[in-house]
Amino acid sequence: MPSSKPLMTPSSGPITTSVESALRTLETESGGINALAAALRGPLGETFARAVDLIRNAKGRVIVTGLGKSGHMARKIAATLASTGTPAFFVHTAEAAHGDLGMITTDDVIMALSWSGEQPEMKTLVNYSARFAIPMIAVTSNASSSLGQAADIVIELPKAREACPHNLAPTTSTMMQVAIGDAIAIALLEGRGFTALEFAHFHPGGKLGAMLKFVRDYMRTGAEIPVKPLGTKMSDAVMEMSAKGLGCVCIVDDAGGVAGIITDGDLRRHMRPDLLTALVDDIMTKQPKTVPPSMLATEMIEVLNTSKITTLVVTEADKVVGIVHLHDLLRAGVA
């Protein structure tokens, strides 16, 4: 039975109202981020720098904790820190009193998130921090709160209105929490010179892992390379191109170095009655784009996109050692 509900067009009431609501939310949350940036340009900047130095110089890990929505943000911050070279993990504030305090050592730093700074469940962690002299960074909007007074460093977030029309549901506040967490993680990453190769150690899976592999992991080698020497007739080059199924053939000189490449596009541009009897020397594109096998996949994608091509010849010590095609990268989930 067809639906009796009317179709809504982009100009209809409900859709327009939803978009207007979304824009108000984004504008409100953007206001919170802007306020945070302004605070960092002021006195908060010095406090932020001290917090980063404290974490950088810690022998142990960063224990990120929080409850409720702040807990969700704390879990994300811990994950970001860990993935960017700062050992960290999340401890649920309420679970700490039921045995999880044993996860925290005297070499660690505690980062406690609480917008109000007055969550009673936080008292256990505060007392543990004081008892064993474990430094604590409080991320709160109230430096004079019980959490703020107990912490060694207080990152006081600017008070900003929540996107919720009742100013109740944590929205702007949680956005600011995760933003300051990201800022800390990136400041630490940049401070220690954390490289893309190190990043790859923590991200072997998914698209990120695929992009952090090397050209050698994706190139075709040996008999899979469509290749012909200089002086070859185009009829033989076309057969090689068809047999290898990459839409191209690499032309090499006597020393095995790349002299040029012939692609499907070159065939169309040079279409003429005597094409198949011509020599590859006259048809090939000279000095094609080449990459080394040690190049990161992310850099290889940039070369393909910038040059607007689908194939790259891989060379090492001036010799052709492989070929990479965009279709292979698509299948691998890189491009």
Side-chain angles (χ1 to χ4, degrees):
M1 179 181 293
S3 172
S4 60
K5 294 182 180 179
L7 294 174
M8 295 298 178
T9 65
S11 60
S12 61
I15 291 180
T16 301
T17 300
S18 297
V19 172
E20 290 173 349
S21 173
L23 290 172
R24 284 195 300 271
T25 297
L26 294 175
E27 287 169 1
T28 303
E29 293 184 347
S30 296
I33 298 299
N34 290 336
L36 180 56
L40 282 168
R41 293 188 185 98
L44 183 60
E46 182 181 353
T47 303
F48 177 87
R50 288 197 296 116
V52 170
D53 286 342
L54 176 62
I55 295 172
R56 181 184 294 115
N57 295 323
K59 295 179 180 179
R61 306 145 301 175
V62 183
I63 310 301
V64 195
T65 187
L67 193 68
K69 302 299 185 294
S70 293
H72 293 304
M73 298 305 104
R75 190 184 295 275
K76 188 274 178 191
I77 291 170
T80 299
L81 286 167
S83 71
T84 52
T86 300
F89 67 88
F90 170 75
V91 171
H92 193 283
T93 304
E95 294 293 337
H98 298 276
D100 286 358
L101 286 175
M103 299 179 181
I104 308 172
T105 74
T106 54
D107 289 332
D108 297 335
V109 174
I110 298 173
M111 184 189 300
L113 276 66
S114 172
W115 187 251
S116 68
E118 296 294 350
Q119 290 173 322
E121 295 89 347
M122 194 69 74
K123 186 176 180 180
T124 298
L125 271 168
V126 168
N127 291 340
Y128 191 79
S129 168
R131 179 181 178 186
F132 293 100
I134 302 170
M136 175 179 282
I137 300 168
V139 180
T140 179
S141 67
N142 187 2
S144 61
S145 63
S146 56
L147 176 62
Q149 292 177 351
D152 298 275
I153 297 175
V154 182
I155 297 178
E156 186 173 25
L157 304 180
K159 292 181 173 62
R161 182 175 179 81
E162 303 287 9
C164 165
H166 309 298
N167 197 28
L168 294 175
T171 45
T172 307
S173 57
T174 51
M175 183 69 67
M176 293 166 71
Q177 286 175 330
V178 78
I180 201 69
D182 286 345
I184 290 172
I186 300 305
L188 289 164
L189 177 154
E190 293 177 343
R192 65 167 54 91
F194 190 75
T195 67
L197 292 179
E198 291 174 292
F199 193 80
H201 295 322
F202 304 125
H203 295 79
K207 185 170 183 178
L208 272 177
M211 293 181 70
L212 289 168
K213 290 184 179 180
F214 299 93
V215 170
R216 60 174 171 263
D217 297 315
Y218 299 106
M219 69 183 189
R220 299 198 185 196
T221 61
E224 292 184 301
I225 306 174
V227 61
K228 284 293 179 180
L230 287 169
T232 300
K233 286 187 177 182
M234 279 299 298
S235 56
D236 292 335
V238 171
M239 289 182 63
E240 176 75 356
M241 185 186 301
S242 300
K244 300 300 171 62
L246 292 178
C248 67
V249 58
C250 182
I251 309 302
V252 297
D253 57 27
D254 293 339
V258 60
I261 192 169
I262 298 174
T263 66
D264 290 335
D266 291 317
L267 296 181
R268 290 191 295 272
R269 284 187 289 272
H270 292 86
M271 187 60 66
R272 63 195 196 209
D274 65 338
L275 175 63
L276 294 180
T277 58
L279 298 180
V280 294
D281 311 46
D282 302 320
I283 305 299
M284 69 183 185
T285 297
K286 298 179 181 179
Q287 297 180 333
K289 291 288 183 181
T290 64
V291 294
S294 58
M295 177 182 279
L296 278 173
T298 51
E299 298 171 342
M300 172 178 56
I301 295 295
E302 181 65 22
V303 173
L304 287 169
N305 290 337
T306 302
S307 304
K308 297 180 179 179
I309 55 178
T310 59
T311 306
L312 283 171
V313 180
V314 186
T315 60
E316 190 171 34
D318 297 325
K319 299 291 192 301
V320 176
V321 295
I323 193 162
V324 178
H325 196 280
L326 180 62
H327 291 167
D328 294 330
L329 301 178
L330 288 170
R331 280 191 288 270
V334 184

